[in-house]
Amino acid sequence: RKEVEQDPGPFNVPEGATVAFNCTYSNSASQSFFWYRQDCRKEPKLLMSVYSSGNEDGRFTAQLNRASQYISLLIRDSKLSDSATYLCVVNTDMEYGNKLVFGAGTILRVKS
Amino acid sequence: NAGVTQTPKFQVLKTGQSMTLQCAQDMNHEYMSWYRQDPGMGLRLIHYSVGAGITDQGEVPNGYNVSRSTTEDFPLRLLSAAPSQTSVYFCASRVTGALGEQYFGPGTRLTVT
């Protein structure tokens, strides 16, 4: 079983739709969680960190469920510019932050 | 602020050749790392460093060497290139600690024939 698993998609949605991605992780000691965005043939960039209480940044909402060991990303009012691959990232090393494990990514395509 | 820079952007090698991928950052980050990204596999950690003079292996270290003589530079050496090393390589840096954002370089697309 992979340490971090994501539905690869692609998710094809119309502009204005709401779409949600889930990600599961296997290491119960995981302490910090992130969503990164990667555009085609570009480097990943941090979209948002995921906090225990859940957090929101504009149209994006991230939630963490420690009991079930999954995190989610909700995108409301999708824009064409949201088309990208979304990477779930889990850090299992709380002391030094040395163990970032990346999911394979979920592809989102927003169409007009 | 240049952030994380990588050279070259593209490289084609023949099996058995060696080369060094360069990586530099100007953010004074202690932690630097190298990943490879293959279709369907996500980013996999090759080697990382928590400071000058300190390196350690990641998930897929075989066939690669690293060194960290300065805080800024973290080169990755391919000792004897193999077709299985065809991939996109990303260098990254971050502040040490679990909560810091990781910054990636633009990547090097390597093809080994």
Side-chain angles (χ1 to χ4, degrees), chain B residues 11-20 63 77-83 85 110-113:
Chain B
Q11 184 69 51
V12 179
L13 290 179
K14 294 186 177 177
T15 298
Q17 287 184 316
S18 63
M19 79 160 295
T20 299
R77 280 184 291 278
L78 279 72
L79 308 173
S80 177
Q85 293 179 304
L110 175 69
T111 301
V112 182
T113 60

Side-chain angles (χ1 to χ4, degrees), chain A residues 2 31-32 34 36 38 40-46 49 87 91 93-100 102-104, chain B residues 10 31 35 37 40-43 45 48 50 90 94-107 109:
Chain A
K2 292 181 181 178
Q31 294 294 327
S32 56
F34 309 89
Y36 277 70
Q38 185 173 26
C40 188
R41 303 177 76 82
K42 298 284 191 181
E43 72 272 24
K45 293 185 179 178
L46 180 67
S49 302
L87 307 174
N91 193 334
D93 178 2
M94 200 56 187
E95 184 173 8
Y96 297 110
N98 292 343
K99 189 81 160 49
L100 279 181
F102 285 76
Chain B
F10 301 93
Y31 182 82
Y35 294 85
Q37 186 173 35
M41 308 238 358
L43 283 93
L45 183 65
Y48 66 94
V50 297
F90 289 103
R94 61 184 293 176
V95 173
T96 302
L99 301 179
E101 176 179 354
Q102 180 141 277
Y103 296 85
F104 286 86
R109 296 185 176 275

Side-chain angles (χ1 to χ4, degrees), chain A residues 65-85:
Chain A
N65 184 319
R66 286 189 184 274
S68 300
Q69 294 182 205
Y70 78 82
I71 66 174
S72 64
L73 177 68
L74 182 77
I75 305 175
R76 292 180 299 277
D77 189 22
S78 299
K79 311 289 185 192
L80 293 175
S81 57
D82 294 333
S83 297
T85 298

Side-chain angles (χ1 to χ4, degrees), chain A residues 16-62:
Chain A
T18 296
V19 61
F21 309 137
N22 284 338
C23 163
T24 59
Y25 59 94
S26 61
N27 189 335
S28 60
S30 301
Q31 294 294 327
S32 56
F33 310 88
F34 309 89
W35 284 101
Y36 277 70
R37 170 192 169 129
Q38 185 173 26
D39 293 307
C40 188
R41 303 177 76 82
K42 298 284 191 181
E43 72 272 24
K45 293 185 179 178
L46 180 67
L47 177 66
M48 58 197 304
S49 302
V50 186
Y51 302 119
S52 296
S53 56
N55 49 300
E56 188 174 307
D57 183 2
R59 297 181 293 107
F60 299 84
T61 300

